[in-house]
Amino acid sequence: MIDSLQAVFSGRLICDAADMAPFLTDWRGKWTGNALAIAQPDTTDGVAAVVRWCKAHNVPIVPQGGNTSMSGSATPDTSGNALVLSLTRLNRIRATDPTNNTMTVEAGCVLQTVQEHARGHNRLFPLSLAAQGSCTIGGNLATNAGGVQVLQYGNARELCLGLEVVTPQGEIWDGLRGLRKDNSGYDLRDLYIGAEGTLGIITAASLKLFPLPVAQINAWLNLNSLGDALTLLDLARARLGGTLTAFEVMNANCWDLLHEQCPDLKPALAVRSPWSVLIEISELKSQEAASTGLQALLEAALETELISDAAIAQNGTQFREFWSLREHMSEAQSRAGKNIKHDISVRISEIPKFVASTDLAITNTYPQARMIVFGHLGDGNLHYNVSPHKGERGDAFPALEAAINRITHDAVAAHAGSISAEHGLGSLRRIEAARYKSDTELRLMRAIKDALDPERLMNPGKGLPL
């Protein structure tokens, strides 16, 4: 049967087990599946042809971009019945319109390539993730990726003006008009963004661009509490307005972990503190304006004892070094061994109460747990992770995952939050998520799935159990 597939599209069909292997395991090594084959079409028409072939042969489809999913969204199950449809060969930048502040790119474009292309036109594409050197635009949109600049620019959804999508029937919907205003019917774009490939396959996108900042400056700050961090955030918003680009937070255990696992990284501040904040300003006027604004904020924060210490990046090299500390958190956790990850969001005002009560609930029950808490305080998204203490064996730690997940996610629900802020549900959270959705929500989502993908061939086993 598989031999007939190559005849319907231009591109690459991979059937050899060794060549298929890199597509069958996620980058974290948490999920490994099997597949009928890997199809890599060169064009949108090729994607549509592959989908029509799969429909005719009742073959499930697992769309895949850069294979950097944190939730198993792009990994097939172990049955070997599914086809992995890789979008990496759809990697062309189709158009750039600096006047309209848009660019149209194919789904397989690597995020960093899009950023660099925009910069070449004196524009900014602000989506910024640790995996930006390998993740792709299609995957970013399919999971509604967030990253470190959501505070000013929003999630991937807010950065997309239109899509091109191949439907489960193998039809092509062209919604790449690049309009900021279009109230001519249902917003189909929003159905596919964040749907993790369960409703159709994103093949191209019209993206928003912004003026390229003249200056960027950042600083690491030491604080005594999350409450102080929230007060500082309010002060920063009042003083800096739209120039406040990022407001990232880390607890002291994060610094310990970085020191243990990434000793080559230079600490930004010499003194360990209960909490630290990385703040960034992007300024359209001048470097002097950026420096003056940040300096005035920090002086006010020191006077009111909101912060105990601060280090301002003095040049581009130090600016990148400061961000490198934040971006190495995932690698430090991986090096340390098994850990339990949570990607949660609650109202910003609720974060101190959530962290204090949930930390206590977990450590009282599991004293071997070390809380690794960091993330995007400015938009209410924390990576609330749990690791063994230094020197303790982590082999048995995964056995605690279900119980610790329950404590964490029940606490999230009690604070009216979400158990998946920016990573998607994938295979990881699909069953748990259903527990926290109302019957009405599930019924509406089920109706959408039935209407668009009645054969249930699109990325089965991902997202909500509908």
Side-chain angles (χ1 to χ4, degrees):
M1 179 181 70
I2 195 66
D3 294 339
S4 65
L5 175 57
Q6 183 66 85
V8 307
F9 76 101
S10 64
R12 188 180 181 209
L13 183 65
I14 305 172
C15 300
D16 179 77
D19 293 336
M20 289 169 59
F23 300 88
L24 303 179
T25 298
D26 73 300
W27 77 275
R28 291 171 61 191
K30 189 175 179 69
W31 295 275
T32 297
N34 201 356
L36 190 64
I38 315 295
Q40 293 183 301
D42 292 331
T43 65
T44 298
D45 286 339
V47 174
V50 171
V51 172
R52 289 193 296 270
W53 182 93
C54 288
K55 185 176 186 298
H57 293 85
N58 199 39
V59 172
I61 302 167
V62 179
Q64 188 178 99
N67 200 18
T68 60
S69 171
M70 297 290 288
S71 302
S73 300
T75 306
D77 63 22
T78 57
S79 69
N81 296 324
L83 179 82
V84 173
L85 205 164
S86 168
L87 282 300
T88 54
R89 290 168 75 100
L90 271 73
N91 57 9
R92 289 169 285 275
I93 294 173
R94 294 184 183 176
T96 307
D97 187 343
T99 303
N100 196 48
N101 276 319
T102 54
M103 63 190 297
T104 302
V105 308
E106 293 182 339
C109 283
V110 172
L111 174 55
Q112 186 171 321
T113 300
V114 174
Q115 295 168 340
E116 292 170 353
H117 183 84
R119 197 173 298 118
H121 288 268
N122 200 35
R123 294 292 185 271
L124 171 72
F125 182 64
L127 187 63
S128 181
L129 314 171
Q132 62 196 29
S134 51
C135 66
T136 61
I137 289 295
N140 298 152
L141 291 166
T143 56
N144 190 26
V148 297
Q149 301 203 62
V150 170
L151 180 60
Q152 182 172 355
Y153 298 104
N155 285 351
R157 185 186 304 277
E158 283 74 43
L159 300 175
C160 177
L161 291 171
L163 295 175
E164 177 186 83
V165 174
V166 172
T167 73
Q169 292 71 41
E171 300 173 324
I172 300 171
W173 169 56
D174 184 353
L176 295 172
R177 290 183 291 276
L179 303 176
R180 285 166 175 77
K181 290 185 175 181
D182 181 3
N183 289 326
S184 58
Y186 299 134
D187 193 341
L188 299 178
R189 174 199 63 172
D190 277 354
L191 280 176
Y192 297 105
I193 295 175
E196 301 182 75
T198 61
L199 301 178
I201 299 171
I202 296 171
T203 52
S206 177
L207 305 175
K208 288 183 187 177
L209 302 180
F210 297 83
L212 192 65
V214 172
Q216 291 176 293
I217 188 169
N218 61 12
W220 274 108
L221 320 173
N222 277 352
L223 304 94
N224 289 321
S225 71
L226 264 180
D228 287 346
L230 284 192
T231 304
L232 178 63
L233 176 61
D234 283 342
L235 182 64
R237 283 172 163 161
R239 285 178 169 264
L240 302 174
T243 65
L244 179 62
T245 308
F247 198 94
E248 300 287 301
V249 69
M250 282 187 183
N251 71 356
N253 289 338
C254 292
W255 288 109
D256 294 341
L257 192 65
L258 284 172
H259 178 70
E260 295 160 14
Q261 302 299 329
C262 305
D264 293 339
L265 293 176
K266 295 191 297 185
L269 293 163
V271 178
R272 182 181 185 272
S273 178
W275 290 93
S276 300
V277 163
L278 174 62
I279 187 171
E280 179 185 288
I281 296 174
S282 298
E283 179 61 70
L284 295 175
K285 297 176 182 177
S286 66
Q287 184 68 40
E288 182 181 2
S291 298
T292 300
L294 180 58
Q295 190 68 44
L297 171 68
L298 299 189
E299 287 174 1
L302 283 166
E303 287 175 6
T304 56
E305 298 184 345
L306 281 178
I307 61 175
S308 58
D309 198 4
I312 301 175
Q314 300 300 307
N315 50 49
T317 298
Q318 196 167 41
F319 177 91
R320 291 186 291 273
E321 287 175 350
F322 281 8
W323 269 114
S324 183
L325 292 167
R326 167 64 181 84
E327 291 165 353
H328 272 80
M329 277 307 306
S330 292
E331 181 178 341
Q333 290 178 100
S334 296
R335 290 183 183 183
K338 300 295 185 181
N339 58 88
I340 302 169
K341 297 182 184 294
H342 305 102
D343 167 45
I344 63 94
S345 64
V346 297
R347 292 191 302 276
I348 297 170
S349 57
E350 294 291 305
I351 284 179
K353 288 187 288 185
F354 165 80
V355 170
S357 61
T358 313
D359 279 3
L360 189 63
I362 291 175
T363 54
N364 277 350
T365 308
Y366 303 103
Q368 68 270 47
R370 176 164 65 161
M371 311 310 297
I372 306 294
V373 183
F374 63 98
H376 321 300
L377 185 67
D379 56 53
N381 172 203
L382 292 181
H383 301 301
Y384 186 83
N385 300 338
V386 187
S387 296
H389 282 289
K390 181 184 178 183
E392 292 192 14
R393 287 178 58 84
D395 299 353
F397 207 64
L400 308 178
E401 185 166 7
I404 288 177
N405 284 349
R406 185 65 175 271
I407 293 172
T408 304
H409 292 153
D410 281 357
V412 170
H415 287 83
S418 169
I419 71 168
S420 178
E422 63 177 357
H423 292 162
L425 298 175
S427 304
L428 179 65
R429 300 290 181 218
R430 63 188 305 263
I431 303 300
E432 290 174 273
R435 170 180 168 79
Y436 302 104
K437 295 287 185 184
S438 70
D439 290 342
T440 300
E441 279 183 284
L442 291 171
R443 178 178 56 79
L444 290 171
M445 292 180 182
R446 187 179 301 117
I448 292 170
K449 177 69 169 175
D450 287 342
L452 297 183
D453 181 26
E455 285 91 0
R456 304 292 179 95
L457 294 180
M458 300 304 300
N459 215 7
K462 314 296 168 48
L464 287 165
L466 300 176

